[in-house]
Amino acid sequence: MTKIIILGAGPAGTAAALKAASAGWETLLIEKDKVGGTCLQRGCIPTKALLEEAHTIDLARRNHGLSQIDENAVYERKDKIVADLTATLTQQISAKKIRLIQGEATFVDDHTIRVNDETLTADSILIATGSKNRVFDFPGNAKLWTSDDALFQPLSSKKKILLIGGGVIGIELAALYHGLGHDVSIFEKEAKILPNAPKDLVQSLMMDYKKENIRVLTSIEITKITQASDYTVEFNHQVESFDIVVLCAGRIPNTDSLNLNATGVLVERGLIQVDSNYRTSVPHIYSVGDASCRIQLAHVATRQALQAMDHMIHQTPCLPFIIPNAIYTPVQAAWIGKSEEELKAQGIPYRSFRQPLGALAKQKIKGDGRRYLSVNLDENNLILGVSLYLSDASEFLPFFTFLMENKIPFTQASSIIYPHPTLSEAIGELAASISEKSKTLH
């Protein structure tokens, strides 16, 4: 029987373990914390659970005059969701007779792992250890919060909060804290926030944040942070005080404690180097997810893990795949494929079509605002890219992913019936409109 050791029980590691066990492999899954990894325990799931609660509270405050909330109850619901999902995942692992070991693993050699006081060997090893918060200190004596702290510390009163970093983590935490009633500022060192998102989505999001008095400042150079009863932040020749400062400076590969030097696996700046089939420089050691990929998304890690196992078991080549992206703000920003900026920069001919949602009944029910769907098409109406700025935009992404992966012209979306009232009616309306008219190539 083939034996595999999988390091990390996050989305990638658990998906790989379940697939390996289903193939009849002896499967050992090692996790230093709890199953589900960062995504389930202190990332995607708790963040989205809190965001959902914060959005509901914000709507109740606006529409029904809600004046007081119990943040402890909000965080307790989040904890229950995480606990329930953890229990379910643990049961799935047990049902497949996967041996789950809690402890921190280190390599002894390229076939041997040491965990706790046990030495384990395997035919193949998959590294899926994910990533960890990037932390650093500013001049001064301040101890800053991380995004982990933000997800586990409810606040008893209204606070003035600074988020350092204008990436997805900082943007989503801003929505969370604002929805719970706090004053929020974002300081970003670079000239713009969300550098990987389409420009139109960033502009729409920033317009809404400005309207909601969420302050976003770019090109900020923080020179010192001191801490007494509150935080004093010196930046761009200014000084301002905050109750809480959260460092949202991104994440780095979680590989430094693995002793990879004992294996011959090639690593560059903490990132494990892999080929197109997720094999490292040592052919029987694979790596997937944040440990070896710069695109730090749970669904990307999971797809890579399943592909890697198919390659190990069946020698199936791992093919490229289209990656959907979403930011889970109250009005979600979601995209897939190439933005207009990318298409122009690469000299790719395209036609861009936009469908405002203001006249849709369901959007009226959700609330008025600058909500839209935008598609970039080639001359055959195949999708090159999509941008969505609307409620639950992330739920639309699989539809567009399916069209793109299967090279189905977007105009064929006009041939199906859309339930009424739904936001999805915008897809049918735009597809029908494009079918009836043509536009000049940009």
Side-chain angles (χ1 to χ4, degrees):
M1 180 185 293
T2 304
K3 183 177 181 180
I4 184 171
I5 295 175
I6 299 170
L7 307 182
T14 52
L18 293 170
K19 192 173 187 68
S22 296
W25 286 22
E26 181 183 352
T27 307
L28 283 68
L29 180 60
I30 303 174
E31 169 57 49
K32 70 177 183 179
D33 192 4
K34 296 179 181 179
V35 297
T38 294
C39 178
L40 176 52
Q41 302 299 332
R42 54 194 176 277
C44 321
I45 304 307
T47 303
K48 277 55 179 181
L50 290 172
L51 279 166
E52 187 75 17
E53 289 286 287
H55 183 45
T56 302
I57 289 167
D58 191 43
L59 289 175
R61 183 186 296 116
R62 295 167 186 272
N63 298 333
H64 307 291
L66 177 70
S67 59
Q68 290 185 328
I69 64 165
D70 180 1
E71 273 198 32
N72 287 305
V74 172
Y75 278 68
E76 286 170 5
R77 181 177 182 271
K78 175 265 297 179
D79 292 340
K80 184 179 185 307
I81 291 169
V82 171
D84 289 347
L85 292 172
T86 302
T88 299
L89 187 56
T90 303
Q91 290 168 2
Q92 291 174 337
I93 292 168
S94 177
K96 287 290 185 179
K97 302 190 184 313
I98 296 165
R99 183 183 174 196
L100 177 62
I101 303 170
Q102 185 172 20
E104 188 156 0
T106 57
F107 280 92
V108 177
D109 58 42
D110 63 331
H111 279 284
T112 309
I113 297 290
R114 185 76 175 168
V115 58
N116 301 329
D117 293 322
E118 188 174 3
T119 300
L120 306 166
T121 60
D123 303 292
S124 297
I125 298 173
L126 175 67
I127 301 170
T129 49
S131 60
K132 57 186 176 181
N133 283 313
R134 179 170 175 257
V135 294
F136 52 86
D137 295 321
F138 292 93
N141 68 340
K143 179 175 173 54
L144 307 183
W145 283 27
T146 67
S147 58
D148 289 0
D149 297 316
L151 298 179
F152 289 95
Q153 297 193 38
L155 305 173
S156 58
S157 60
K158 185 174 182 177
K159 302 294 184 183
K160 182 181 180 184
I161 299 171
L162 171 63
L163 305 171
I164 301 176
V168 173
I169 295 172
I171 294 299
E172 289 187 348
L173 283 180
L176 164 60
Y177 278 129
H178 175 74
L180 294 175
H182 303 290
D183 291 330
V184 183
S185 296
I186 298 173
F187 284 5
E188 169 55 48
K189 182 178 180 179
E190 303 301 327
K192 62 180 182 178
I193 64 165
L194 299 170
N196 297 321
K199 183 179 179 180
D200 59 333
L201 291 180
V202 176
Q203 290 175 337
S204 296
L205 188 58
M206 288 305 92
M207 287 175 63
D208 277 352
Y209 271 30
K210 183 177 182 180
K211 185 171 64 176
E212 297 297 326
N213 293 317
I214 298 175
R215 188 173 60 152
V216 180
L217 300 181
T218 56
S219 300
I220 296 296
E221 187 70 34
I222 296 175
T223 52
K224 188 176 183 180
I225 304 179
T226 55
Q227 183 178 4
S229 58
D230 58 9
Y231 293 86
T232 300
V233 181
E234 300 179 20
F235 64 98
N236 293 25
H237 308 294
Q238 302 178 54
V239 179
E240 189 169 349
S241 295
F242 297 89
D243 298 309
I244 296 168
V245 178
V246 186
L247 183 60
C248 310
R251 302 181 65 82
I252 58 175
N254 189 22
T255 59
D256 53 346
S257 64
L258 295 176
N259 191 32
L260 288 168
N261 289 335
T263 66
V265 168
L266 181 62
V267 181
E268 293 185 6
R269 297 183 179 180
L271 195 72
I272 296 172
Q273 302 300 294
V274 295
D275 64 15
S276 60
N277 295 313
Y278 311 112
R279 286 183 303 189
T280 69
S281 51
V282 179
H284 60 273
I285 300 178
Y286 288 64
S287 181
V288 296
D290 295 5
S292 51
C293 179
R294 297 187 187 280
I295 302 174
Q296 298 175 334
L297 296 170
H299 48 283
V300 170
T302 300
R303 170 58 71 88
Q304 290 181 346
L306 295 173
Q307 285 187 326
M309 290 310 306
D310 275 334
H311 189 264
M312 287 188 220
I313 298 167
H314 306 294
Q315 292 74 55
T316 306
C318 301
L319 301 177
F321 51 87
I322 297 168
I323 300 171
N325 300 268
I327 302 173
Y328 293 81
T329 40
V331 178
Q332 294 181 2
W335 69 96
I336 188 169
K338 296 182 182 296
S339 66
E340 285 201 66
E341 305 92 83
E342 291 173 316
L343 292 168
K344 288 177 181 177
Q346 296 172 23
I348 299 173
Y350 73 98
R351 297 169 297 154
S352 185
F353 302 89
R354 177 176 291 211
Q355 179 73 17
L357 272 71
L360 277 184
K362 189 59 177 288
Q363 186 58 59
K364 290 288 186 184
I365 294 168
K366 288 281 189 179
D368 291 325
R370 188 173 179 264
R371 316 294 181 245
Y372 62 87
L373 155 67
S374 176
V375 296
N376 301 321
L377 307 179
D378 70 6
E379 59 183 4
N380 297 313
N381 291 321
L382 296 177
I383 299 174
L384 299 172
V386 178
S387 295
L388 305 104
Y389 190 66
L390 49 97
S391 303
D392 298 320
S394 58
E395 302 291 346
F396 290 74
L397 289 174
F399 177 83
F400 292 106
T401 305
F402 180 80
L403 294 182
M404 293 178 73
E405 289 281 13
N406 292 281
K407 295 181 170 50
I408 300 172
F410 175 65
T411 46
Q412 290 193 21
S414 64
S415 66
I416 61 175
I417 297 175
Y418 296 85
H420 175 78
T422 63
L423 297 176
S424 67
E425 291 175 277
I427 298 173
E429 291 179 4
L430 182 56
S433 174
I434 295 171
S435 296
E436 295 169 0
K437 62 184 180 182
S438 61
K439 290 192 174 183
T440 304
L441 285 177
H442 286 241

